[in-house]
Amino acid sequence: MDPYRLPRTVVPSRYDIRLEPDLTTLTFRGEESIAIQVAEPVSEIVLNAVELIVDEAVVVDAQGHEQRAAVTLDEAAERCRLAVAAPLATGTGRLRLAFRGTLNDKLRGFYRSVYKDPSGVPRTMAATQFEATDARRAFPCWDEPAFKAVFSVTLAIDPTLTAVSNTRVASETREGARKIVRFADSIVMSTYLVAIVVGELEQTEPTLVGPTPVRIWCVPGKRRLAAFGQEIAVASLKFFEDYYGLPYPGDKLDLLAIPDFAAGAMENLGAITFRETALLVDERAASHAELQRVADVVAHENAHMWFGDLVTMSWWNGIWLNEAFATFMEMLAVDAWKPEWQRWVAFGVSRAAALSVDGLHSTRPIEFPVRAPREADAMFDVLTYEKGASVLRMLEQYLGPDVFRVGVHEYLVRHRFANADTGDLWAALGRASQQPIPAVMDGWIFAPGYPLVSVGVEGRELVLRQQRFTYLAEPLRWFGAASATPAPPARWQVPVQVRIAAGGREMVERVLLTEPETRRSLPAGFESLVANEGGHGFYRVRYDDGLLERLLGRLPGLGAIERFNLVNDAWAVSVAGLMPQARYLELTARFRDERDKNVWSILIASFHTLNRLVTPADRPKLEALVRDRAAGALAALGWTPRAGEDELTRQLRGDLIRALGTLGNDQAVQARAAELYAGHERGAAPVDPNVLPALIAVLGHAGDEGRYHEFFERFRTAKTPQEEQRYLYALTAFPQPALVEQTLARTINGDIRTQDAPFVVRSLLMAVHSREIAWEFVKKQWDTMDRLYPKHGLRRMAEGVIGLATPSLEADVHRFFHERRIDLGGKTLEQYLEQLRVAVALREREGAALSAYLARY
Ligand code: BES
Ligand code: ZN
């Protein structure tokens, strides 16, 4: 028997759950009555429970025979076994349980969140976070996505508090000193989507979308930050009803900001929970990046109401069906809402992140076997989300958006209120498109990696070749390397679109590259070409020297995504050793006139990576190179917005100031930043919200102890979640060792919330000035952090080891993880170590050449 899958002899169809949380004792009591179907005359029922005490269990079978069950809890297996003396009659029965638990502080299951009210007094609320497998911490249940059931929730709470769950309130009554809130029945859904929030909550005026009221909830005093989130919630709800061609499946839609929240947000049907930064924002004081974050997360979770909630993957190996789709739909919805944001261009940054990890030997296929809960947790990564969304975009563009949408509609209709897997989606898209979807798609979903498409001109012919792209020639050797990675397929079916300029005209050629090599004759008067035109393909392009040079000569003729891909692919190809680094750095000099923020962000990211691996002596030269590349763009934009300037340009200004003031160590920029910030703080000259966050970062980088304490106070007393984040991350920028130590201490002493602390440590590990101190601290405090942080914390934090890009630090990282036998779930650690190896290998291979190149600056 599989220790991770429950037997199907007895299955639930309906839960009537009553919970009574006590925010003073931080405990809860519960009762539930579960309607069950008994398929075989068993005398044992097995379901999930963990960190609960079950006081009583009674089973009534289909013949009305009632018996008390003996309860055994297996904490390691997270299971509860109920044994009855006489075998149960088959058919419909009922199970009644009484249980107890604590409101924990690990931000999972049924947990507590603590915050200060407007007068500074600490307050407690209770919330739930169940995905992937933590519903079992709040009530005993069949905690697997395929055991869908109806949920009827009743809460017995302090009458001064408010309760929110998945559905509308059906009744509110009194029972002694308690208020009894009974919620309407849910649709048939999975356990991981149940939500309960109890506290002193404020709500906005609902907006109706058809019959659905949409509201934002938050702790007292923050309602003024809810308008923007509500607007995108309403807009995306309308968008999805239209796109999916199906009504919203719930009876109301609440979006709740929770002060302590492990993930970014969670798609509980009708009661979506968020960390505050992802929902609450002051539209007039926020940067484009901060606003886009809110729009993205809200649209993403709304997309899940259909993809995930109405139709759910059968098991966690298919989590990409949830997350990749929600990410893809998030782009469509935000793009429709604010086309001027050019959301699909910005998606290039996400695609690039996926291409990075998927270029490792230690990558995994998007769909991957999952057994234990920790393996399910490790599936929520860049491959599931960003690679998944990228290949969906590629498929949508290949089939055509209308055909794709018809297939999606059909899939949802066929599997609503039930479960599905990848094959079901392929079948629906196949019916809609009359195309062999598995033949095209299986290589992208079930195989690791992706192709490097080499593009060359030989005589009058265009030659396209594909091979797998990897950064390193060999898989990494490390202590955890279990078995050899399965051999990747020799090739993919790659939908390649080539835009060819010839005789003063442009034409697009569509090629489905199925073989290792394909040839096409070129038109007369051939001038140049762009492979991956439009930039939707999930592959890299390597042009031959002649083609690359021609492209660089006509950059304004390329779309922003195409320029983005040109830089990103050239960088990756050079990191992989297929192009000299000096050539890449020369290429960056051709982008001084670039005005797209995404292209700049990929350029700046590559400089950050180099900064981590050059020698200290070369660092000032790299700073000079950064100034050489970026200063002209900032000078051209100026420091203050021009009338009629778009939001993206304003954001670019902020990004350039930040890059020049930190990585470029530009003293003039630092001085100007200090001046502008002072003027803003005095109220004399308000600064554009896209520039202000950059000023704060620059002042941290160039700041002293006085500034550090000033920023810490601003962090503590911030008026918006965004302001809080700006000052928090600015604390990580101060280079003084004593201040680095102080910030580190704050990641475990309660000054910084545990939802944020792992990310703070990660950025300290990634930065040259702090990485060694941070690494010593992490080694020493690993166990403490493991105890304090939410479960994803250490995994997110440990990603910072990628920044420890010196040979001796790399050796020490291996030693530590080896000695401590640390497993971060799935292939996570192996991927981090391989990324670290890629960086150190680049340093070993190109160090001297880089030094020689930088000598001119
Ligand atoms: N379903 C996830 C939340 C989640 C993540 C639960 C990991 C359990 C483990 C949710 O839909 C989600 O994807 N949230 C993202 C934000 C989103 C905009 C990419 C997150 O939390 O980062
Ligand atoms: Zn999601």
Side-chain angles (χ1 to χ4, degrees):
M1 195 173 81
D2 186 336
Y4 301 111
R5 301 292 284 266
L6 294 170
R8 312 186 70 94
T9 43
V10 178
V11 301
S13 61
R14 177 188 171 91
Y15 294 80
D16 285 278
I17 304 173
R18 178 189 150 113
L19 290 172
E20 191 168 338
D22 186 330
L23 300 185
T24 4
T25 58
L26 304 176
T27 59
F28 63 93
R29 293 195 300 135
E31 282 163 23
E32 61 184 340
S33 169
I34 311 173
I36 50 175
Q37 274 309 118
V38 180
E40 287 168 35
V42 289
S43 42
E44 184 183 69
I45 299 177
V46 186
L47 62 166
N48 295 112
V50 66
E51 286 176 19
L52 291 175
I53 297 165
V54 178
D55 294 313
E56 201 182 309
V58 174
V59 191
V60 187
D61 70 12
Q63 287 170 3
H65 182 54
E66 178 168 326
Q67 356 177 19
R68 195 164 284 277
V71 182
T72 336
L73 287 166
D74 181 345
E75 287 288 320
E78 304 187 355
R79 283 178 170 191
C80 163
R81 292 169 182 282
L82 309 175
V84 285
L88 301 172
T90 58
T92 308
R94 191 159 279 285
L95 168 62
R96 288 201 304 268
L97 296 165
F99 54 94
R100 281 175 288 150
T102 51
L103 295 170
N104 71 77
D105 63 354
K106 297 287 293 236
L107 319 191
R108 62 156 150 179
F110 203 4
Y111 72 93
R112 63 186 190 260
S113 173
V114 182
Y115 62 94
K116 293 208 171 78
D117 72 10
S119 51
V121 180
R123 301 276 177 187
T124 303
M125 65 188 283
T128 55
Q129 168 57 42
F130 289 167
E131 193 177 19
T133 57
D134 291 324
R136 62 190 68 173
R137 292 169 186 277
F139 51 89
C141 58
W142 278 259
D143 198 13
E144 296 178 12
F147 291 112
K148 286 198 171 188
V150 170
F151 293 85
S152 157
V153 173
T154 301
L155 294 172
I157 59 173
D158 184 313
T160 61
L161 303 179
T162 304
V164 177
S165 186
N166 303 87
T167 53
R168 293 189 188 212
V169 173
S171 69
E172 219 178 270
T173 50
R174 279 301 272 268
E175 214 179 273
R178 296 250 131 186
K179 176 162 83 177
I180 310 297
V181 186
R182 199 169 59 77
F183 296 90
D185 284 3
S186 75
I187 61 165
V188 174
M189 65 180 198
S190 308
T191 46
Y192 78 89
L193 294 170
V194 174
I196 292 155
V197 181
V198 177
E200 286 170 46
L201 304 171
E202 276 184 6
Q203 55 174 307
T204 60
E205 274 303 310
T207 310
L208 280 180
V209 175
T212 312
V214 179
R215 274 174 304 203
I216 309 285
W217 295 80
C218 55
V219 299
K222 299 200 174 171
R223 210 165 32 184
R224 65 188 175 85
L225 304 173
F228 184 82
Q230 185 151 354
E231 213 184 299
I232 175 61
V234 166
S236 60
L237 189 64
K238 288 181 185 156
F239 176 87
F240 293 131
E241 291 199 315
D242 180 53
Y243 183 94
Y244 293 129
L246 284 171
Y248 168 67
D251 64 359
K252 55 93 179 172
L253 180 57
D254 288 321
L255 299 92
L256 303 107
I258 314 290
D260 293 284
F261 197 80
M266 178 64 213
E267 69 267 28
N268 316 298
L269 182 71
I272 306 177
T273 42
F274 295 77
R275 63 167 61 201
E276 291 188 333
T277 44
L279 183 61
L280 303 178
V281 66
D282 177 350
E283 190 175 359
R284 283 155 317 151
S287 68
H288 165 74
E290 291 162 345
L291 291 171
Q292 185 185 279
R293 171 74 181 154
V294 171
D296 280 355
V297 182
V298 170
H300 177 103
E301 304 311 333
N302 268 357
H304 274 310
M305 299 297 111
W306 291 260
F307 251 100
D309 294 8
L310 181 63
V311 178
T312 312
M313 70 278 153
S314 306
W315 181 245
W316 299 108
N317 63 331
I319 188 63
W320 85 277
L321 288 169
N322 275 9
E323 298 302 349
F325 246 99
T327 303
F328 169 81
M329 296 301 310
E330 158 199 337
M331 301 302 143
L332 284 187
V334 173
D335 191 42
W337 187 52
K338 286 202 192 283
E340 67 275 20
W341 282 4
Q342 300 182 32
R343 193 61 190 82
W344 281 110
V345 179
F347 181 69
V349 176
S350 302
R351 188 189 291 106
L355 289 165
S356 281
V357 174
D358 206 27
L360 304 172
H361 293 282
S362 52
T363 186
R364 62 170 180 85
I366 289 179
E367 188 162 328
F368 191 66
V370 170
R371 281 163 42 86
R374 62 183 292 112
E375 294 171 359
D377 291 338
M379 292 293 277
F380 292 86
D381 66 358
V382 72
L383 298 164
T384 290
Y385 283 77
E386 280 79 13
K387 183 182 179 183
S390 300
V391 304
L392 285 173
R393 177 63 165 173
M394 185 164 70
L395 179 62
E396 182 221 30
Q397 294 291 306
Y398 177 67
L399 299 178
D402 294 335
V403 170
F404 183 83
R405 171 172 158 171
V406 169
V408 167
H409 169 79
E410 216 219 274
Y411 166 85
L412 290 173
V413 168
R414 196 177 276 235
H415 303 287
R416 59 183 150 183
F417 307 113
N419 298 81
D421 43 45
T422 301
D424 297 317
L425 179 65
W426 289 174
L429 288 167
R431 283 189 296 271
S433 65
Q434 297 300 312
Q435 298 236 29
I437 306 292
V440 180
M441 290 308 290
D442 282 354
W444 300 99
I445 301 292
F446 296 106
Y450 58 86
L452 172 67
V453 176
S454 301
V455 184
V457 173
E458 293 177 11
R460 300 268 324 261
E461 272 186 336
L462 164 67
V463 187
L464 301 171
R465 296 192 179 89
Q466 61 159 312
Q467 72 193 83
R468 181 170 175 189
F469 177 87
T470 55
Y471 289 100
L472 300 173
E474 294 281 315
L476 181 75
R477 276 178 228 283
W478 67 298
F479 72 93
S483 52
T485 13
R491 61 188 114 112
W492 287 260
Q493 299 219 351
V494 197
V496 179
Q497 287 186 190
V498 189
R499 188 169 70 246
I500 300 172
R505 293 191 318 122
E506 289 202 320
M507 61 209 84
V508 173
E509 176 134 14
R510 290 162 61 102
V511 184
L512 186 67
L513 190 59
T514 55
E515 302 302 317
E517 182 182 305
T518 300
R519 288 172 181 261
R520 287 280 194 286
S521 57
L522 283 168
F526 169 74
E527 290 151 15
S528 70
L529 63 82
V530 185
N532 198 3
E533 85 100 21
H536 306 297
F538 191 76
Y539 56 89
R540 294 192 191 278
V541 176
R542 179 189 182 196
Y543 293 100
D544 72 18
D545 287 346
L547 286 173
L548 180 57
E549 206 38 54
R550 283 185 216 201
L551 275 180
L552 291 170
R554 52 178 290 262
L555 286 175
L558 272 60
I561 302 194
E562 294 167 348
R563 297 196 304 279
F564 178 97
N565 285 345
L566 188 66
V567 174
N568 187 46
D569 290 348
W571 165 248
V573 160
S574 74
V575 173
L578 303 171
M579 179 207 276
Q581 272 291 304
R583 180 94 215 275
Y584 170 75
L585 289 176
E586 268 309 290
L587 178 147
T588 64
R590 313 287 281 269
F591 286 81
R592 291 194 185 96
D593 295 329
E594 179 62 56
R595 294 293 179 269
D596 180 84
K597 75 170 176 69
N598 304 296
V599 179
W600 270 110
S601 83
I602 206 78
L603 289 163
I604 293 166
S606 70
F607 300 146
H608 269 291
T609 302
L610 285 176
N611 188 45
R612 286 191 280 267
L613 52 88
V614 296
T615 59
D618 282 339
R619 208 153 273 136
K621 298 173 200 156
L622 182 64
E623 291 168 357
L625 177 135
V626 171
R627 295 195 295 270
D628 173 78
R629 300 300 192 258
L634 178 59
L637 289 183
W639 279 66
T640 43
R642 315 234 155 108
E645 199 178 63
D646 62 38
E647 201 172 316
L648 298 186
T649 306
R650 291 173 185 233
Q651 180 66 50
L652 172 61
R653 175 180 295 111
D655 294 349
L656 290 169
I657 292 171
R658 183 189 298 250
L660 283 162
T662 60
L663 196 55
N665 202 19
D666 187 322
Q667 269 143 39
V669 167
Q670 291 163 359
R672 181 103 189 247
E675 245 173 69
L676 287 179
Y677 182 77
H680 180 88
E681 286 299 292
R682 278 199 315 271
V687 168
D688 180 71
N690 295 285
V691 169
L692 188 60
L695 301 184
I696 295 169
V698 171
L699 294 189
H701 181 85
D704 57 13
E705 200 174 333
R707 183 75 86 183
Y708 182 90
H709 296 302
E710 176 194 334
F711 278 14
F712 180 68
E713 269 319 288
R714 295 299 302 268
F715 157 68
R716 253 185 12 89
T717 56
K719 297 282 183 294
T720 69
Q722 289 70 27
E723 191 177 272
E724 184 181 304
Q725 292 289 299
R726 294 171 191 171
Y727 286 106
L728 173 58
Y729 285 94
L731 296 180
T732 69
F734 288 82
Q736 298 80 348
L739 300 179
V740 174
E741 297 277 7
Q742 263 190 56
T743 307
L744 285 164
R746 297 193 149 119
T747 62
I748 53 172
N749 74 358
D751 281 350
I752 299 173
R753 287 181 189 277
T754 61
Q755 67 169 8
D756 297 318
F759 299 95
V760 169
V761 179
R762 181 176 71 176
S763 54
L764 289 166
L765 285 168
M766 298 289 283
V768 170
H769 70 267
S770 52
R771 62 186 174 187
E772 276 159 75
I773 304 172
W775 174 238
E776 286 307 312
F777 186 83
V778 165
K779 285 192 290 181
K780 208 162 116 210
Q781 302 295 348
W782 184 272
D783 292 331
T784 307
M785 292 167 158
D786 195 15
R787 185 162 45 75
L788 293 175
Y789 296 170
K791 70 177 164 178
H792 298 291
L794 288 195
R795 184 163 77 238
R796 309 308 290 272
M797 177 182 85
E799 190 178 7
V801 303
I802 297 167
L804 303 174
T806 73
S808 62
L809 283 170
E810 184 194 18
D812 195 47
V813 167
H814 276 260
R815 206 174 305 127
F816 176 74
F817 287 115
H818 181 82
E819 275 168 14
R820 303 289 300 267
R821 301 269 144 196
I822 286 161
D823 177 2
L824 298 174
K827 288 173 164 262
T828 309
L829 179 56
E830 198 178 345
Q831 289 167 358
Y832 294 164
L833 295 176
E834 190 176 343
Q835 281 167 281
L836 177 56
R837 181 89 284 273
V838 170
V840 179
L842 177 60
R843 174 189 179 118
E844 287 162 347
R845 192 181 69 237
E846 294 264 13
L850 267 173
S851 228
Y853 182 87
L854 290 173
R856 68 178 81 169
Y857 289 93

